[in-house]
Amino acid sequence: MTKRMFIMIGGVLLLIAVLAFGKYLQIKKLIASSPKPGAQTVTAIKAEESQWQPQLTSVGTLVPVRGVDVTTEIAGLVRQVHFKSGDEVKAGQVLFEMNADSDIAQLRALQAAADLSASVLKRDKLQFAAQAISQAQLDNDDADLKSRKALVAQQQAVVDKKTIRAPFAGKLGITAVNPGQYLNPGDKLVTLQTIDTVYVDFFVPQKQLAGLSIGQKLNLTADAYPGLAFPGKVTSISPKIDAATRNVQVEATVPNGKRQLLPGMFANVSLDQGEQKKYLTLPQTAITYNPYGSTVFVLAPPPADAKDPLKDDKGNAHLVAQQVFVTTGPTRGDQVAILTGLKAGQTVVTSGQLKLKNGTPAVIDNKVQPANNPNPTPQEH
C-alpha cells in the first residue's frame, strides 16, 4: 500500500515538472519573438572645456555719493523759489527764500541796542581813566555789550535760516513747494542728489569674505539697461558680520558719467575672484540630481560583444545610453562645471533623460536645444 502511494506521488510530481518546463519553454519563445524597443529621441551635446572666470554674484541697491532731502529748520511763509525741478545747482546756491521781514526788523533793533552798549562802554572807559567810575561799572558795561552782540548773532542766524541754500552741488528733484506756501520745521522741500558717481551696497556670505579686497573689480547690471555692464570697484568692507544673516556688507563705487544709474535702483553685482580656470561645462538640464548623487547619460556606440544591436536605416548601430555619476562645481547662467566623471569629447544627453536607462538605444535630434548661455538675460514677450 505504501509503495503504491509513493508511486502515485512521484507520478504527480513528474507531471507537474513536465508542465512547468513546457510553460517555461513557451514563455522563452514568446520573449524571443517579441519586438525590440525602438530608439529614443534625445538632444545631446559634446562636453568641452571652456575658460571660466570664477565670480561671486550678489544683489545690491544703488545709493548716491551724497544725497539729502532739503528741509527747513524753522517755520515760515515761502516768498520765492529760485530753481526749477531737475536743475543742476552749486553748493551754497539759494533754493528758497522765506518771509523774514519781522526777523530783519528785530535784528535791526538788537543791532541798535548793541551799538548803544558799545558807545556807553567807550564813554565809561574815559571816565574810568579819570577815576570818575569804578572798575565794577566798567565790567558791567563790557558784559552788557557782549550779551547784546550775542543776541544780534542769534537773530542773524534766524534771518539766515529763512534763506535755504543747497548744502552741496548736485541735481535737484521735483518740488511741490510754491510761493505763498507755509512751511513747518522738517517739511521735505526737494531732493538733492550727487550722481556723477554712485555707490552700490550689497551683502556677501561670510564664507566668501576671504575672496574680498579693497579695489577688487566688479561689474554691475540693471534691469533698466539690459545687456549693459557698468564697471566699478570695491571701496569699503564692513568690519562687522550681521549676526542674523551671517553676511557682510560691501560697498563699491561705480562711475556714472552719463547718469544712467539712479539712487534706489536694484542692481546685480558680479565680482571676479582669482584667475581664469578651465572647466568641462554642460547645460544644467543635462544633470539629474538625486539624493545619492548627480548623474548624466553618456551616449556611445554599443560594445563589440553586444547581441543584435538596434540599427538605423543605413545599417549603422544606434548609440546606447550609459548613466554615469558626476561631481558638479560652480554654475554660471545656464551652465554648470563638471569636476569629475566625464572627459572632453564625450556625448552627453541634455534632454529626454526620463526615457532612458542603461543600454537604451538613442537618436540625437538637436532641432530644439536647451539653453546653454553663460550670461543669459531676461526676455520679455
Side-chain angles (χ1 to χ4, degrees), residues 281-295:
T281 60
L282 289 175
Q284 295 200 43
T285 56
I287 313 299
T288 302
Y289 298 95
N290 301 295
Y292 51 83
S294 302
T295 63

Side-chain angles (χ1 to χ4, degrees), residues 192-314:
L192 177 62
Q193 307 282 337
T194 299
I195 56 175
D196 292 325
T197 300
V198 295
Y199 293 138
V200 56
D201 290 340
F202 57 96
F203 290 86
V204 173
Q206 66 175 16
K207 66 179 180 181
Q208 303 288 351
L209 187 59
L212 295 174
S213 61
I214 301 298
Q216 187 174 0
K217 294 182 179 179
L218 58 83
N219 283 317
L220 179 150
T221 58
D223 293 343
Y225 305 100
L228 184 61
F230 299 88
K233 62 179 180 180
V234 175
T235 50
S236 180
I237 302 173
S238 175
K240 179 183 177 181
I241 302 293
D242 189 328
T245 62
R246 305 302 176 188
N247 292 336
V248 60
Q249 184 176 3
V250 183
E251 186 174 76
T253 302
V254 181
N256 189 32
K258 295 183 179 180
R259 300 186 176 181
Q260 295 169 290
L261 302 175
L262 299 178
M265 288 179 68
F266 161 93
N268 294 301
V269 181
S270 298
L271 295 91
D272 293 342
Q273 290 190 310
E275 299 179 353
Q276 289 189 349
K277 298 181 181 180
K278 277 190 174 181
Y279 281 126
L280 211 62
T281 60
L282 289 175
Q284 295 200 43
T285 56
I287 313 299
T288 302
Y289 298 95
N290 301 295
Y292 51 83
S294 302
T295 63
V296 298
F297 276 100
V298 176
L299 299 181
D305 57 351
K307 295 182 179 179
D308 300 326
L310 192 63
K311 298 181 180 181
D312 58 19
D313 297 338
K314 297 181 180 179

Side-chain angles (χ1 to χ4, degrees), residues 5 31 38 56 62 80 113 115 121 124 135 145 147-148 150 193 233 243 254 264 267 306 317 334-335 353-354:
M5 184 179 295
I31 293 174
L56 173 64
L62 297 178
Q80 283 186 305
D115 293 342
L121 177 61
D124 286 352
Q135 180 66 44
L145 176 59
S147 176
R148 294 186 182 279
Q193 307 282 337
K233 62 179 180 180
V254 181
D334 302 320
Q335 297 180 342
Q353 297 95 322
L354 294 177

Side-chain angles (χ1 to χ4, degrees), residues 36 127 133 172 338:
K36 295 182 179 180
Q127 292 182 357
I133 61 173
L172 294 171
I338 305 299

